[in-house]
Amino acid sequence: MSLRSTLDFLLYQWLDAESLNQRPRFAEHSRETFDAVFETCERIAREKYAPFNRLVDTQEPHFDGDKVILPQATYEAQKAYAESGMLSAAQDFEHGGMQLPYTIEAAANSFFAMASVSIGSGMLSTGNANLLMAHGTPMQKQVFASNEFSGRFSGTMCLSEPQAGSSLSDVATRATPDGEDFAQDPLGARYRMRGNKMWISAGDHELTENIIHLVLAKIPGPDSQLPAGTRGISLFIVPKKLVNTAGELTGERNDVALAGLNHKLGWRGTVNTLLNFGEGKYPVVSTGGGLDGKGAGAVGYLVGQPGEGLRCMFHMMNEARIGVGIAAVMLGQAGYEASLDYAKTRPQGRPSGPAGKDATRPQVPIIEHADVKRMLLAQKSYCEGALALALYCARLVDEQHTGTPDAADEARLLLEVLTPIAKSWPSEWCLEANSLAIQVHGGYGYTRDFPVEQYWRDNRLNMIHEGTHGIQAMDLLGRKVLMENGRGLALLAGRIQATAAQAQQVPELTAHAAALTAAWQQVTNATQAAWATGKPVDALANAVPYLQAFGHTVLAWIWLDVALATVRLDASQLIAVNIGRMRAAAYFYHYELPKIGAWLQVVANRDLTCADMPADAF
């Protein structure tokens, strides 16, 4: 079964994405235009990305002392992607976009993630530009966002610092007003930046004319001290090369210097950097004088209001979290398809009969062995289920932006609850799918003669990207299930219960419906028990097991809803792939959903075995 046929089923048979064309924003589209986008993206991914996935893994970016060197294939792929219009796919026609539903944009980008995730497909540039469209001034939108959408510029997000990691409260990059006229700069209030940012993907390269960094920093108070906590964080546009109000390069380099390249386990085709802002390597003398009066300090332009940087940045981070989830799904799917092909063609072993194995009979393909089928079915249930979840979340984004006020508000709350799952669940379980793909290949799976070891390495990074499991778990249990008096959780419960009620009427799904209902009750009880003392230390001690159980229950719901769409097909459509989809749903209910009991037990008991472990006892 191809990715395209899976997308067609999930989008059109399950999510009814075609009905989005009835909304004014998407009225000029049809299924034909959606399909044309898919065909274009599938072709570019097949021709410009997939053939070079191993190449970019082995020919890593390197710095020659002047610039970062990348394979020519990366330039060709990025050029083809920009020319396809996908960087601005969801933007308004008036901004050069295609005004596509986000659901279609997300589905179309899955082709690139599966073909070569580390070549990239502009997720950061699009997210950067989308943030500016939401929070930037008209001039910032025109000068920076529009050029990112066209592919002329690219973008990054600069949060982490070497000494702080995920602890944004400890951000130490500082932004000081640049001259007496700093507030009058047409590109935004102008500051000089000094600090370091770590793990910046696409932080330096020659793929585009310019790189637009979105940088979190703090503005010192009257005492020259940086404000404590996250409330003092502001957001700044810091271009690698300075531009004028027409978006033209001025010829002056900003004081942003590449301090080094990080060489990671996976995503080796992506440039990952440590950047120094304001160290004086490239003094800028054309503005207010800089930090030392001689041009030191990177020029940055304030986005939004001082102290609101994290609120603005979360616009990009949440979008990126769904994108990371899709990347994890597609790496899992790539491994699944590779191991499925291998299992169908690799002969090994013979079937057992009443008298045991007959050595004179020919070997059978390993897909005939029950345990290989188990590993393949596990991969299918993880990857196809996670893809469905990601597309469901993308559909909620469209509902939030174009639905009725009530529907939009419900979509917003559901996204708050589901986004931690959409990011974290695929990055754990589609990684497990990659591990199983290696196992299906046997000893060959560990060699570079087959692609599955690279898929595993690439996918291992997604458990860290855009917030670790621990961060997502504390966000879910510590904030999302409680926000607005638990209304988001109640909305999700209503949808789960509605699916279970429908499935209860279908004989082959009755047992699944009962299992889902019982699982959700366990999650509800554990949520209440975790917060029974009202102490965050007690409740959050086992936030990750809670996240795992919550995620498994959500995936069980998604699978049951997909199964309902499958059984509604007429007899002519009940082909082998749909039988496989029903069997994958059954696998998830029989093998995966029962795992939640062990995870929720420690949550409900507020078990402190881990939390109370003395550091010196390890």
Side-chain angles (χ1 to χ4, degrees):
M1 178 182 59
S2 69
L3 172 59
R4 178 61 189 278
S5 64
T6 301
L7 288 174
D8 284 349
F9 173 84
L10 292 175
L11 290 171
Y12 301 129
Q13 301 291 340
W14 179 51
L15 289 175
D16 192 22
E18 196 172 357
S19 67
L20 288 168
N21 298 325
Q22 298 169 14
R23 301 183 179 187
R25 178 171 179 79
F26 310 125
E28 294 190 30
H29 291 297
S30 64
R31 177 165 177 175
E32 286 70 27
T33 61
F34 293 167
D35 287 348
V37 169
F38 294 150
E39 287 160 10
T40 297
C41 291
E42 189 174 19
R43 176 183 54 78
I44 295 172
R46 182 177 63 250
E47 295 176 357
K48 301 293 186 180
Y49 284 69
F52 308 105
N53 191 45
R54 177 63 77 186
L55 173 73
V56 298
D57 185 63
T58 56
Q59 294 185 19
E60 295 184 65
H62 66 276
F63 183 53
D64 68 358
D66 178 44
K67 58 182 180 293
V68 174
I69 308 299
L70 290 163
Q72 183 63 30
T74 302
Y75 288 82
E76 298 298 330
Q78 297 282 17
K79 179 183 177 182
Y81 185 81
E83 291 177 348
S84 74
M86 286 302 296
L87 284 166
S88 58
Q91 281 301 311
D92 295 350
F93 292 131
E94 64 185 271
H95 296 303
M98 291 190 272
Q99 218 158 292
L100 283 174
Y102 179 66
T103 309
I104 301 303
E105 179 189 30
N109 276 322
S110 68
F111 292 108
F112 301 102
M114 186 170 174
S116 181
V117 74
S118 72
I119 288 180
S121 53
M123 180 180 75
L124 289 175
S125 294
T126 298
N128 180 308
N130 286 343
L131 182 153
L132 293 177
M133 294 302 292
H135 300 288
T137 66
M139 180 69 74
Q140 289 171 345
K141 296 175 186 178
Q142 181 60 37
V143 171
F144 299 111
S146 65
N147 281 304
E148 290 183 89
F149 285 136
S150 72
R152 182 173 165 237
F153 296 169
S154 57
T156 74
M157 56 191 297
C158 300
L159 291 78
S160 297
E161 297 180 5
Q163 84 291 344
S166 299
S167 180
L168 296 181
S169 295
D170 297 306
V171 161
T173 299
R174 62 173 54 217
T176 305
D178 182 32
E180 294 183 0
D181 66 342
F182 81 99
Q184 278 71 55
D185 197 300
L187 292 177
R190 189 181 66 248
Y191 288 74
R192 289 297 182 117
M193 323 286 293
R194 177 173 284 169
N196 315 100
K197 294 293 180 177
M198 187 64 156
W199 312 119
I200 309 307
S201 293
D204 201 353
H205 54 74
E206 304 296 320
L207 294 168
T208 54
E209 286 185 41
N210 205 356
I211 302 172
I212 309 304
H213 304 291
L214 285 178
V215 182
L216 291 182
K218 293 182 177 180
I219 301 172
D223 59 357
S224 296
Q225 299 299 306
L226 297 181
T230 60
R231 293 186 179 182
I233 294 176
S234 301
L235 181 65
F236 301 86
I237 298 168
V238 184
K240 177 181 176 180
K241 301 173 184 177
L242 296 184
V243 301
N244 60 26
T245 55
E248 300 164 337
L249 302 186
T250 65
E252 192 169 20
R253 174 77 184 263
N254 204 354
D255 197 4
V256 182
L258 175 65
L261 298 178
N262 299 307
H263 297 282
K264 293 186 174 183
L265 174 78
W267 290 57
R268 292 179 174 176
T270 300
V271 184
N272 192 273
T273 62
L274 169 63
L275 298 177
N276 291 342
F277 293 85
E279 67 175 13
K281 184 174 183 178
Y282 304 103
V284 178
V285 297
S286 61
T287 61
L291 297 171
D292 58 0
K294 298 179 180 179
V299 174
Y301 306 100
L302 181 68
V303 178
Q305 297 300 312
E308 294 188 0
L310 204 55
R311 182 181 69 85
C312 295
M313 187 61 91
F314 267 111
H315 184 281
M316 184 176 182
M317 289 171 66
N318 286 329
E319 183 177 307
R321 283 171 177 166
I322 295 175
V324 167
I326 292 175
V329 171
M330 300 324 299
L331 283 164
Q333 184 71 20
Y336 166 63
E337 292 194 6
S339 62
L340 177 61
D341 180 67
Y342 184 82
K344 288 180 175 179
T345 57
R346 165 68 171 173
Q348 187 173 318
R350 295 167 177 81
S352 294
K357 293 183 179 180
D358 184 351
T360 64
R361 296 182 62 186
Q363 292 182 319
V364 296
I366 61 172
I367 198 170
E368 297 299 331
H369 301 308
D371 196 54
V372 173
K373 290 182 179 180
R374 175 191 65 82
M375 291 188 285
L376 291 170
L377 203 46
Q379 292 178 67
K380 181 178 175 65
S381 75
Y382 298 154
C383 299
E384 196 169 330
L387 177 59
L389 172 64
L391 294 177
Y392 183 87
C393 288
R395 184 70 167 78
L396 287 176
V397 171
D398 285 321
E399 197 65 36
Q400 184 181 2
H401 292 159
T402 64
T404 64
D406 287 346
D409 190 54
E410 285 193 6
R412 172 188 65 83
L413 270 173
L414 284 167
L415 275 170
E416 291 281 7
V417 175
L418 290 175
T419 296
I421 306 301
K423 185 274 170 186
S424 63
W425 199 92
S427 66
E428 179 173 4
W429 295 97
C430 293
L431 176 68
E432 174 62 17
N434 288 130
S435 181
L436 291 170
I438 292 173
Q439 192 73 11
V440 169
H441 281 74
Y444 291 107
Y446 299 96
T447 71
R448 294 196 176 188
D449 298 317
F450 291 86
V452 288
E453 60 85 27
Q454 182 185 344
Y455 296 144
W456 186 93
R457 285 188 289 104
D458 284 341
N459 218 352
R460 184 59 185 80
L461 274 63
N462 288 317
M463 294 181 76
I464 300 293
H465 285 158
E466 303 306 327
T468 65
H469 272 19
I471 290 171
Q472 303 296 334
M474 288 189 288
D475 183 42
L476 178 66
L477 182 54
R479 193 167 73 90
K480 296 297 180 62
V481 301
L482 303 176
M483 66 186 300
E484 299 185 26
N485 296 315
R487 194 160 71 91
L489 191 65
L491 282 171
L492 179 60
R495 300 208 175 189
I496 288 173
Q497 290 160 1
T499 297
Q502 292 178 50
Q504 193 68 43
Q505 308 305 312
V506 180
E508 60 193 295
L509 299 178
T510 300
H512 297 343
L516 177 60
T517 301
W520 184 251
Q521 188 61 54
Q522 289 182 68
V523 171
T524 301
N525 293 344
T527 307
Q528 295 169 348
W531 285 104
T533 67
K535 299 177 181 178
V537 172
D538 292 348
L540 301 180
N542 295 288
V544 167
Y546 179 84
L547 176 80
Q548 291 171 310
F550 197 104
H552 258 52
T553 305
V554 166
L555 264 291
W557 162 55
I558 291 290
W559 264 120
L560 189 57
D561 213 56
V562 168
L564 279 168
T566 304
V567 298
R568 293 189 190 110
L569 298 173
D570 61 50
S572 66
Q573 295 174 294
L574 290 177
I575 55 178
V577 293
N578 292 317
I579 295 171
R581 191 168 286 123
M582 294 296 289
R583 191 59 63 94
Y587 173 90
F588 200 88
Y589 273 85
H590 295 165
Y591 289 77
E592 295 294 331
L593 189 57
K595 294 177 180 177
I596 72 167
W599 290 323
L600 291 177
Q601 182 175 1
V602 293
V603 176
N605 292 341
R606 300 183 297 280
D607 190 296
L608 299 179
T609 300
C610 300
D612 283 353
M613 176 71 169
D616 59 4
F618 280 97

